[in-house]
Every structure is written in C-alpha cells, then in structure tokens.
Amino acid sequence: MTLTFKRAITPGVLAASLVSSTLLPIKPAAADQNIWRDIGIGAGVGAASSAITRHKVVPNIINGAAAGAAVNQSRDLTTKKGQRPDFLRDAAVGAGTGAAVGSVTNRRHAVRNTANGAAVGAVINILTPKPRR
C-alpha cells in the first residue's frame, strides 16, 4: 500500500472500529417510567415529616426526594420481573440514602434523616405494591 492510501483509509477504519466496539453494545441509561412518581412520594413524605416534627421543610423534602429516586433505582436493579418489591430492602435503601443526603443537607440530625429515608422507602412500597413488569 502506498503511504497516501494508508493515510486516507486508516483514520476511517480506526474510527469505525472504535465506534463499533465501544458505542454499539452500550445500553442507554434510562430511568424507570415511575421515577417522577417516587420522587414526588419522597418529597411528600419529607414535607409531612417536617410538618409533624416541626423542623426545616426544604432539607427534608430534598432528603425524601433523593430517597425516592434511590428506592426507584434499587427496585429497578434488584427486583426480578413478576416479583413484588421487598419491603425491607426499600426501607433500607431509603434509610441509607436519607443518611447520606442528610449528612450533606442537615448534618446535625443523622437519626432523623435516616428515619425520614426509611419512611420514604416504606411508603413507596406500600403505595406501589404491584409486581414489576
């Protein structure tokens, strides 16, 4: 092959091999169709818990919304099709997320943040008991 031919063909072959080997097998990142519902439930539970305990509303809403999103993704990754989501797993994921987000937004009340997240997971499990499709 001549040097000119190599210079003309090699970049195209290289680009095609990179695209076919890296981009084609990637599954697009897609959220569950119910993620906004779970974020809304989490925010509602956060607002309700702040009204009950008479503490700051915004950190509890942020905490609840994050816990709702985490519970949604946890259900999507761990629940097999046709099975009902596990109550304890939802509550544990909510509690862990509540503690993590609470350490950023409301650092002094770790137990309250954990309880708020666990309540979000439990409420989501109670309100959406249907098996995963």
Side-chain angles (χ1 to χ4, degrees):
M1 287 186 182
T2 65
L3 189 59
T4 309
F5 187 66
K6 285 182 183 177
R7 287 184 181 164
I9 295 295
T10 305
V13 170
L14 209 62
S17 67
L18 277 172
V19 167
S20 66
S21 66
T22 58
L23 297 180
L24 293 181
I26 293 175
K27 181 183 174 187
D32 187 359
Q33 66 268 15
N34 298 321
I35 191 159
W36 293 111
R37 178 201 62 202
D38 291 343
I39 289 173
I41 290 172
V45 170
S49 73
S50 65
I52 291 169
T53 59
R54 293 190 177 132
H55 292 288
K56 294 181 181 176
V57 177
V58 175
N60 282 342
I61 289 175
I62 293 169
N63 190 337
V71 168
N72 180 283
Q73 290 305 305
S74 149
R75 291 174 127 195
D76 207 26
L77 294 173
T78 59
T79 305
K80 295 179 183 174
K81 289 186 177 184
Q83 287 185 336
R84 187 183 187 292
D86 186 21
F87 180 82
L88 291 177
R89 184 181 300 135
D90 287 350
V93 167
T97 305
V101 172
S103 68
V104 174
T105 61
N106 194 6
R107 294 176 296 178
R108 293 178 293 169
H109 306 288
V111 174
R112 185 185 321 140
N113 294 327
T114 304
N116 189 18
V120 168
V123 169
I124 288 175
N125 190 285
I126 290 168
L127 292 179
T128 58
K130 294 181 182 176
R132 185 171 169 253
R133 290 186 268 158

